[in-house]
Amino acid sequence: MEFMRGINSLHTTEKQNLQQKHEFNFDNLILEEFNIEPSLQSNHETKELKKQVLPSSLASLELLSYYGSRFKRLRNQNISNDNTEICVSVSPQKLSTEEIIRLAGARYIQHSSQWHEIPMHPYGFGLSEEENRDVELAQFLLAAAERVGCQQFERASMLLFNFPWNSSGGSPVQRVIFHFAQALGERINKGTGRRLTLKGCEKNQERELIEKLTWDTSMAVICHKKIPFNQVMQFAAVQAMVEHVASKSKIHLINLDIGCGVLCTSLMQALADRQERPVQFLKITAVGFQGKTELEEIGKRLMSFAESLNLPFFYKVVFVKDVIEIKMEQFEIEDDEAVVIYSPYLLRTMVSNSDSLENLMRVIRKIRPCIMIVLELEANHNSPSFVNRFIEALFFYAAYFDCIETCMKEDYECRMRIEAILSEGIRNIVAMEDRERTVRNVKIHVWRRFFARYRMVETEFSDSSLYQANLVAKKFDCANFCTLDKNGKCLIVGWKGTPIHSISAWKFL
């Protein structure tokens, strides 16, 4: 059985190295919501269902155990070794989305072979009724994932149909579980060749949703301002860029994903304020794969902003259908320019397309920028094991949904737009395989190994960059929840201790 194998990598260095080697081998990688009713179903029906779907011995639970064991450290809780109940001593503070999932994971492991003996709500020590329901709901989800991992699709379907689906709201726990259950349903469809209908489930189109949000400037700016991750990394990135071109008067920023141009305006402001060595010109080249008209409109807005700063400015669009078409000559780089490359979340889209990724890296190496800033999601969603991948994604997205709920509680439309995009990521990770699975986020240690092939060396962020990042984080009401940590020379931005993003800086030997 799959659910207990292959996760010793989180406990032994040897297996960690093996996992990293597999992740590094890129060549092998070819809005809906619901409300929970007061009870999922009657105790008798639930006990009978649990007896049918849960085996007496489970395989591959060690990754879940790793996550579940962190619950005690996060909340100073005592998870008992007793086989009949978990003793939880929680503070009156409401549990976070991820803590609910962790508690469910710990509970699921502890009673995996005796689940049919557990009463419906055994953890009422300090937990609210909603938290009790959410913990149980997460246990059902984990059980369904384990059944899917064992290709026991009928049993998984029985668990999925326990969820009372509708689109009228729900806690962030319920919403993230809904999206994972929706993706599991689609995977079951693929495995059985039959249609499984979950009420209210619709497929999300990630590309279309991201593009729509990006070009909706007002909405994109609201999202940028509400979530601390974006601004924290933006200010750290701009500070690093300014420091590495301090002695240069001709500066060329190659932006591999310009978005709505917010980072560019920050960089322009910083350069315009520079007194010691005035900027002769700033050139920005935006690389685009779709939305050529929108990219040109962004250029017009940036030109207007540069004029207001009295900053000499040039704007250029390199528009290609695919990354594999990018060539160095398209950037028209002059000998006396200081080139900066900014890569926000582009490389992750090419993990499954090694030809495009390697073409881009060869072009960048020829350009030899004075600094390259890389933003990526700090997550492992590339495991060949479905269950491992499911568990990693569940805890990652639980933290992200918790952040969105906290930061955008009053901005319903923005929250729904972002959750729709996240939902499509969940769907791709859980429901897809082989070349259809394009969402393959990997952690910074994997990127370090990959960049080493191109003789790239990581450079540390200065104290000023770290100061800027911390200063921005503290301006948010949720400042205590946005965590900043160092991993080697890079900066990890997280939510309540869970890594979410990495920002790293690179030079070429």
Side-chain angles (χ1 to χ4, degrees):
M1 296 172 67
E2 184 185 4
F3 210 76
M4 293 233 8
R5 285 194 304 267
I7 316 182
N8 284 327
S9 56
L10 293 171
H11 302 284
T12 66
T13 303
E14 179 180 2
K15 290 192 176 182
Q16 276 187 340
N17 292 336
L18 289 175
Q19 182 184 17
Q20 292 176 15
K21 287 180 181 178
H22 185 92
E23 292 170 342
F24 172 65
N25 190 355
F26 291 130
D27 294 335
N28 290 339
L29 305 177
I30 314 278
L31 280 147
E32 296 287 344
E33 296 177 306
F34 69 95
N35 270 327
I36 267 293
E37 299 298 329
S39 176
L40 290 176
Q41 57 188 145
S42 71
N43 286 356
H44 174 74
E45 291 173 333
T46 303
K47 289 179 181 179
E48 289 302 313
L49 177 64
K50 290 172 180 177
K51 289 180 182 179
Q52 295 177 41
V53 299
L54 290 174
S56 59
S57 63
L58 295 176
S60 194
L61 278 171
E62 293 176 19
L63 183 59
L64 187 57
S65 177
Y66 165 78
Y67 277 108
S69 66
R70 291 183 59 195
F71 183 76
K72 180 178 179 181
R73 297 198 296 273
L74 285 174
R75 300 286 297 190
N76 293 320
Q77 295 179 336
N78 177 29
I79 299 182
S80 168
N81 290 323
D82 187 281
N83 285 330
T84 58
E85 67 175 7
I86 273 186
C87 296
V88 184
S89 301
V90 299
S91 67
Q93 181 182 352
K94 184 177 179 180
L95 296 183
S96 72
T97 304
E98 189 189 18
E99 286 171 336
I100 290 287
I101 303 295
R102 290 188 190 280
L103 180 55
R107 179 75 182 180
Y108 185 78
I109 294 165
Q110 184 174 344
H111 295 288
S112 59
S113 61
Q114 300 92 9
W115 221 31
H116 61 281
E117 301 174 2
I118 302 174
M120 284 295 291
H121 300 301
Y123 4 79
F125 298 91
L127 298 185
S128 68
E129 182 178 353
E130 181 180 63
E131 288 171 330
N132 283 329
R133 291 198 305 268
D134 288 350
V135 170
E136 183 177 66
L137 191 63
Q139 287 183 250
F140 272 96
L141 181 71
L142 291 168
E146 191 249 336
R147 293 301 89 209
V148 170
C150 297
Q151 297 190 341
Q152 296 177 4
F153 298 121
E154 292 298 327
R155 293 182 176 183
S157 297
M158 293 172 64
L159 283 164
L160 290 185
F161 280 118
N162 271 291
F163 297 98
W165 305 103
N166 63 63
S167 58
S168 60
S171 69
V173 178
Q174 293 163 10
R175 295 199 303 272
V176 75
I177 288 176
F178 166 78
H179 293 302
F180 274 89
Q182 175 182 339
L184 280 177
E186 184 169 351
R187 190 176 183 93
I188 291 172
N189 289 347
K190 294 176 180 292
T192 61
R194 64 177 175 80
R195 183 176 180 81
L196 176 67
T197 302
L198 296 177
K199 295 179 182 179
C201 294
E202 296 179 0
K203 295 181 180 178
N204 294 311
Q205 301 297 323
E206 186 183 44
R207 289 180 182 275
E208 180 180 340
L209 291 169
I210 292 176
E211 181 182 359
K212 186 176 180 180
L213 178 61
T214 300
W215 304 137
D216 186 346
T217 305
S218 59
M219 184 70 70
V221 170
I222 291 174
C223 293
H224 176 82
K225 289 182 177 180
K226 289 289 184 179
I227 298 178
F229 307 143
N230 303 323
Q231 293 190 51
V232 168
M233 291 184 293
Q234 172 189 306
F235 279 86
V238 169
Q239 181 66 30
M241 292 177 188
V242 170
E243 290 171 357
H244 283 85
V245 299
S247 63
K248 304 293 182 179
S249 59
K250 297 180 180 180
I251 301 160
H252 186 173
L253 170 65
I254 297 176
N255 198 322
L256 299 181
D257 188 354
I258 199 167
C260 59
V262 175
L263 176 128
C264 296
T265 57
S266 296
L267 178 62
M268 294 163 74
Q269 181 71 61
L271 293 174
D273 292 340
R274 198 169 77 178
Q275 301 294 326
E276 293 184 4
R277 191 178 183 89
V279 176
Q280 290 187 27
F281 71 78
L282 169 65
K283 181 193 298 184
I284 293 180
T285 299
V287 178
F289 310 99
Q290 53 188 352
K292 186 175 183 179
T293 301
E294 288 81 0
L295 287 173
E296 291 171 347
E297 287 298 318
I298 289 172
K300 292 178 182 177
R301 292 199 297 269
L302 292 177
M303 183 68 72
S304 177
F305 186 69
E307 290 176 356
S308 70
L309 298 174
N310 197 28
L311 180 70
F313 179 70
F314 301 89
Y315 181 81
K316 175 183 173 64
V317 174
V318 172
F319 193 82
V320 293
K321 293 182 179 179
D322 191 276
V323 178
I324 199 128
E325 299 176 5
I326 293 178
K327 298 178 176 60
M328 179 180 175
E329 295 75 22
Q330 295 170 308
F331 297 99
E332 300 177 357
I333 297 171
E334 300 179 13
D335 292 338
D336 56 351
E337 289 179 350
V339 179
V340 175
I341 294 181
Y342 182 61
S343 175
Y345 310 108
L346 176 65
L347 303 183
R348 61 184 285 269
T349 66
M350 294 180 282
V351 171
S352 61
N353 188 346
S354 59
D355 291 341
S356 294
L357 181 57
E358 292 197 7
N359 177 70
L360 176 63
M361 295 307 300
R362 284 194 295 267
V363 171
I364 291 175
R365 171 138 190 94
K366 290 179 182 177
I367 293 173
R368 295 185 68 83
C370 64
I371 192 70
M372 177 175 176
I373 306 294
V374 177
L375 275 59
E376 289 294 335
L377 293 182
E378 182 63 7
N380 175 25
H381 299 152
N382 196 34
S383 172
S385 163
F386 162 72
V387 176
N388 289 12
R389 195 167 68 243
F390 183 93
I391 293 171
E392 294 271 11
L394 178 59
F395 285 99
F396 175 85
Y397 282 101
Y400 221 125
F401 270 70
D402 192 87
C403 172
I404 295 169
E405 174 72 10
T406 303
C407 299
M408 293 187 163
K409 198 163 188 175
E410 306 302 324
D411 295 280
Y412 180 81
E413 186 177 355
C414 289
R415 177 173 65 78
M416 290 297 292
R417 295 277 288 272
I418 295 179
E419 287 189 6
I421 295 171
L422 296 178
S423 175
E424 180 56 28
I426 293 169
R427 172 178 173 259
N428 193 272
I429 292 168
V430 174
M432 305 300 175
E433 285 296 348
D434 302 322
R435 288 195 174 274
E436 287 185 329
R437 185 160 60 85
T438 56
V439 179
R440 294 172 177 261
N441 301 309
V442 295
K443 293 188 176 184
I444 185 63
H445 71 264
V446 181
W447 289 116
R448 284 179 178 133
R449 290 163 61 87
F450 178 73
F451 291 151
R453 292 171 53 182
Y454 300 91
R455 301 187 68 194
M456 297 171 67
V457 293
E458 193 171 4
T459 182
E460 195 159 11
F461 287 94
S462 68
D463 291 340
S464 295
S465 293
L466 299 178
Y467 175 78
Q468 289 286 349
N470 278 286
L471 191 64
V472 172
K474 290 177 181 178
K475 292 182 179 179
F476 286 84
D477 293 336
C478 60
N480 291 337
F481 299 144
C482 181
T483 55
L484 304 177
D485 296 292
K486 295 287 293 294
N487 180 318
K489 296 181 179 180
C490 86
L491 180 64
I492 303 296
V493 186
W495 183 255
K496 297 181 180 179
T498 297
I500 301 292
H501 301 274
S502 70
I503 174 170
S504 55
W506 302 84
K507 291 184 177 182
F508 290 82
L509 292 175

